[in-house]
Amino acid sequence: MYEGAIQDLIDELGRLPGVGPKSAQRIAFHVLSADPADINRLAGALRKVKELVRFCTSCYNVAESEQCRICRDPRRTDEVLCVVEEPKDVVAVERTGEFRGRYHVLGGAINPLEGIGPDNLRIRELMTRLSGGTVRELILATDPNTEGEATATYLALMVKPMGIAVTRLASGLPVGGDLEYADEITLGRAFEGRRAV
């Protein structure tokens, strides 16, 4: 539609996850009309994140040093390990304030349709961590979708012979939700996970 640099920017923005063609165009024109100092700050932040951010050598969360802040925290227990798919999932669990253990970020989920198998994830590294004998419980906090369920099932089968307790996050109805809008699987899990009042 446009020519030169503006079209190149729209094309690059459109490659970002969750950014469609209209959003890419809107962002590009915002950049075009923005103050140069603001754009330089944005460009600097993008360069800085690529230069400084890496994966934690212990849990594979994002970090700016060898280990992330969670792995460096001596107040956290080593006996409970929570497995998540992506670093953004660590943030979601941390926001609850309920978990005081450690994490392991797989880097995705098993998805045969996209060619992602167990060897493409950090499962080997997880098994190495578990073989140390410190972990007593492994919490599988993968997404409640087909890929997340497949990954959780695979991990459960791999870990059970090690004598480590394997648990899965409960799933069910969201607070403020209506029963009539819940899908059958979510409602079924809510029934399975019911507790005494």
Side-chain angles (χ1 to χ4, degrees):
M1 284 229 189
Y2 302 95
E3 58 184 70
I6 193 73
Q7 187 60 49
D8 291 344
L9 179 58
I10 291 170
D11 292 343
E12 289 304 313
L13 290 169
R15 292 176 51 196
L16 296 172
V19 178
K22 289 188 182 210
S23 294
Q25 182 177 326
R26 208 169 18 256
I27 295 168
F29 279 100
H30 171 77
V31 167
L32 190 60
S33 64
D35 185 74
D38 293 340
I39 300 309
N40 286 334
R41 258 195 326 278
L42 174 61
L46 288 170
R47 270 193 304 280
K48 193 173 178 183
V49 79
K50 284 307 285 179
E51 291 167 5
L52 298 179
V53 177
R54 61 185 83 162
F55 292 109
C56 174
T57 56
S58 298
C59 73
Y60 303 96
N61 189 13
V62 289
E64 286 192 20
S65 61
E66 185 119 345
Q67 288 191 315
C68 70
R69 66 174 178 75
I70 295 170
C71 287
R72 290 191 315 261
D73 187 346
R75 297 168 298 171
R76 299 188 81 107
T77 179
D78 293 327
E79 294 185 352
V80 184
L81 191 65
C82 181
V83 176
V84 296
E85 293 179 22
E86 302 290 344
K88 61 184 169 51
D89 301 326
V90 171
V91 174
V93 175
E94 283 297 291
R95 267 187 300 198
T96 68
E98 296 291 324
F99 183 66
R100 300 300 306 152
R102 306 280 181 189
Y103 292 93
H104 187 85
V105 181
L106 293 172
I110 295 172
N111 188 343
L113 294 176
E114 292 187 17
I116 301 170
D119 292 339
N120 302 108
L121 305 175
R122 296 187 191 101
I123 293 175
R124 194 173 16 257
E125 293 85 346
L126 172 63
M127 299 309 284
T128 301
R129 286 181 80 183
L130 295 176
S131 66
T134 309
V135 177
R136 302 275 177 252
E137 179 186 0
L138 184 71
I139 302 170
L140 301 175
T142 54
D143 291 342
N145 55 25
T146 307
E147 295 81 13
E149 292 295 333
T151 306
T153 301
Y154 180 84
L155 290 174
L157 291 172
M158 295 280 292
V159 173
K160 286 231 174 167
M162 300 175 86
I164 297 170
V166 179
T167 58
R168 181 91 167 106
L169 285 186
S171 59
L173 299 171
V175 173
D178 293 327
L179 284 180
E180 65 181 298
Y181 299 117
D183 62 276
E184 297 82 20
I185 295 172
T186 302
L187 197 51
R189 287 192 179 152
F191 269 100
E192 286 174 17
R194 68 188 184 278
R195 56 191 169 88
V197 180

